[in-house]
Amino acid sequence: MHDPHGERMDARETRAAGGLALVFAFRMLGMFMVLPVLSTYGLDLVGATPALIGLAIGAYGLTQAFLQIPLGVVSDRIGRLPVILVGLLVFALGSIVAAQADTIWGVIFGRVLQGAGAISAAVMALLSDLTREQHRTKAMAMIGMSIGLSFAVAMVIGPLLTGAFGLSGLFFSTAGMAVVGILVVLFIVPRPDRMLQHRESGVAKQALGRTLRHPDLLRLDVGIFALHGILMASFLALPLALVERGHLPKDEHWWVYLGALLLSFFAMVPFIIYGEKKRRMKHVLLGAIVLLLLCELYFFWFGNTLRALVLGVLVFFTAFNLLEASLPSLVSKVSPAGGKGTAMGVYSTSQFLGSAAGGIMGGWLYQHNGLSGVYLGCAALALLWFCFAVTMREPPYVTSLRVPLSAAALAVNGLAERLKAEPGVADAIVVAEEAALYIKMDTKQLDRMSLERLIQAAC
């Protein structure tokens, strides 16, 4: 049935959002499946040391961090599809290199190649090209859910696949997932009619300086760096701890991660609801950082039995999932009007740099100080993060919108300033070359229809 008001996504938009969510999910599965198994199975590789295992865990983050924004800019010039397809091919090639390697350096090179297929920015830009304004947030949420789900699935099937087929089988399966992603792009994802220059989903040079000088955005960038650093370092130590101290065979680790992830998803939901409804997300953020810090100290003091480790993993995942879900939302709230895409680009780069640093740090600490050194290193990183985060202001509870403007509206002098004077409007900017208004507003005080009436009245 036709929807005249455009309240629901049409078939083309649904195909685009679903197809691109699948591409993200398959690619992130390939990234994450290595996490719970490389520290235990990787020690059998020729030349392997804990420090080099850590480098292999974090290596993909280095190339992801340095190539993500540049490849997003390239996609603006030559098109999204070539960048996405070549990126998936490079990811598949990296997986095959790692699968055929019998030395740790071969796996490290394969992981570096995997990271070079940095397609996140191009995928988000293509999603903007294929969806209407009113459905873009919904479509991006679908991709966000696919990433979260792929992380959960990877934690479970990574140990199962590696137990059955070894590390080479695991890497060959990630290559297969990249090929499936290519097929999804070729046969499911629609072709865009045009390339949209969109500041909510892509990096804008004009917004870069403002983003890099924004103190609260920098605090959030430090946060995602620390969070993924702690994740990578912890997952060098925890699989080893389950074997050495919990006496759990490495091919049975999947049930620990499955149980912990399922329970942690339910445990974090009340805190998200409380933070959003009561508008106290800063307090929720600080509480979760403290929980992460205490969790690492708990592993240091009490992580000597299987029961203690399983309990610790549950608490760790509750804090991690809560922070992983909260931080992008805070970036969206805090970023200036028209700066969300740029802010998310810098944020994602910080995330991948954190993954690389965490893997390297965890490997080095384990080689020189054992499991205790990794736990204390992660606790120190969490404490440093808390010191940065505690000075952050409570974020504004606003929604970011991009509203196309008519020629008459574009001709209005000072439209953005007029709108900023309205109750509920936190920030606004008119971008003439896009014929669009970017605005951040409190939807409890001003809805989209009222905003459009205000724009019409100003013309």
Side-chain angles (χ1 to χ4, degrees), residues 272-292:
I272 294 281
I273 293 171
Y274 167 79
E276 289 289 349
K277 282 200 168 181
K278 300 293 184 182
R279 300 197 164 190
R280 293 174 69 87
M281 280 306 297
K282 178 185 172 181
H283 295 79
V284 170
L285 178 78
L286 293 176
I289 298 169
V290 170
L291 186 61
L292 202 60

Side-chain angles (χ1 to χ4, degrees), residues 2-241:
H2 180 62
D3 178 18
H5 301 293
E7 293 173 0
R8 288 177 295 189
M9 294 171 77
D10 61 28
R12 188 169 185 267
E13 288 172 318
T14 304
R15 272 178 60 206
L20 292 174
L22 277 176
V23 170
F24 250 109
F26 284 127
R27 182 171 156 279
M28 299 314 286
L29 260 177
M31 290 290 191
F32 290 138
M33 281 197 303
V34 174
L35 199 54
V37 297
L38 200 52
S39 63
T40 49
Y41 288 87
L43 289 171
D44 297 331
L45 294 164
V46 175
T49 65
L52 291 177
I53 293 286
L55 179 58
I57 287 174
Y60 83 94
L62 287 172
T63 38
Q64 281 276 335
F66 289 113
L67 292 177
Q68 183 186 225
I69 290 177
L71 287 178
V73 173
V74 169
S75 80
D76 289 337
R77 293 182 180 172
I78 69 169
R80 323 297 188 200
L81 291 174
V83 170
I84 294 169
L85 291 171
V86 171
L88 288 169
L89 280 172
V90 170
F91 180 83
L93 178 63
S95 301
I96 292 168
V97 167
Q100 294 182 323
D102 54 9
T103 69
I104 186 62
W105 285 107
V107 170
I108 290 169
F109 180 59
R111 292 281 284 167
V112 168
L113 268 180
Q114 281 186 323
I119 60 170
S120 302
V123 170
M124 296 307 282
L126 179 59
L127 187 70
S128 292
D129 296 342
L130 291 169
T131 51
R132 285 170 291 167
E133 202 69 48
Q134 61 266 41
H135 299 308
R136 202 156 289 136
T137 301
K138 197 187 307 178
M140 288 180 177
M142 288 173 67
I143 285 184
M145 287 169 59
S146 77
I147 294 171
L149 187 60
S150 66
F151 177 77
V153 172
M155 290 291 106
V156 177
I157 67 171
L160 286 171
L161 270 175
T162 313
F165 305 107
L167 271 180
S168 63
L170 178 75
F171 281 118
F172 274 126
S173 70
T174 65
M177 288 174 189
V179 172
V180 172
I182 290 170
L183 295 175
V184 169
V185 172
L186 290 175
F187 299 109
I188 295 179
V189 177
R191 299 294 172 266
D193 299 323
R194 72 205 190 291
M195 285 204 302
L196 183 68
Q197 298 302 312
H198 196 302
R199 291 190 178 201
E200 294 295 273
S201 60
V203 174
K205 291 178 187 174
Q206 305 92 322
L208 195 55
R210 192 178 174 195
T211 300
L212 292 173
R213 290 191 301 270
H214 196 296
D216 283 343
L217 283 176
L218 290 175
R219 288 183 180 92
L220 295 171
D221 294 335
V222 168
I224 195 63
F225 177 94
L227 181 62
H228 278 257
I230 290 167
L231 176 72
M232 293 297 161
S234 295
F235 267 89
L236 185 132
L238 289 174
L240 292 168

